[in-house]
Amino acid sequence: FGVGSNDFTISFWVYFKSHISNGITGDYDASSYIYIADQSNGKVFIQIDDGGTDSNTETDKVLNTNQWYFLTFVRDTSASEVR
């Protein structure tokens, strides 16, 4: 695994029975990582570090429990952001 320095999109379905500030998924190597987590405020957080640039964001909307959501995060390296 390696985050690299390219643009990419991550999409996934998620369903919460509760919000407990817990990791959803993540991966890392010696110089980079990606981490996606549920937060106790009902939002989903993503953080990406490619070994030089650290970018993060969270959903604008609070996600209700007991409901399916399809989430998409886009990494735009030209703007140095995740949205």
Side-chain angles (χ1 to χ4, degrees):
F1 171 79
V3 172
S5 59
N6 296 320
D7 297 343
F8 60 83
T9 301
I10 298 172
S11 298
F12 56 96
W13 286 96
V14 67
Y15 180 96
F16 297 108
K17 291 185 178 184
S18 64
H19 296 292
I20 57 172
S21 294
N22 202 10
I24 296 171
T25 190
D27 202 357
Y28 64 93
D29 66 12
S31 63
S32 62
Y33 65 87
I34 184 169
Y35 178 69
I36 303 172
D38 173 36
Q39 301 181 100
S40 60
N41 65 3
K43 296 182 178 185
V44 174
F45 172 82
I46 184 171
Q47 184 170 18
I48 299 168
D49 187 331
D50 64 9
T53 302
D54 185 7
S55 304
N56 62 69
T57 193
E58 68 180 9
T59 55
D60 292 331
K61 182 178 179 181
V62 172
L63 306 183
N64 296 322
T65 56
N66 302 310
Q67 183 174 341
W68 283 101
Y69 292 93
F70 186 75
L71 302 180
T72 300
F73 291 101
V74 176
R75 180 184 187 205
D76 180 353
T77 55
S78 66
S80 298
E81 68 180 14
V82 178
R83 54 180 184 264

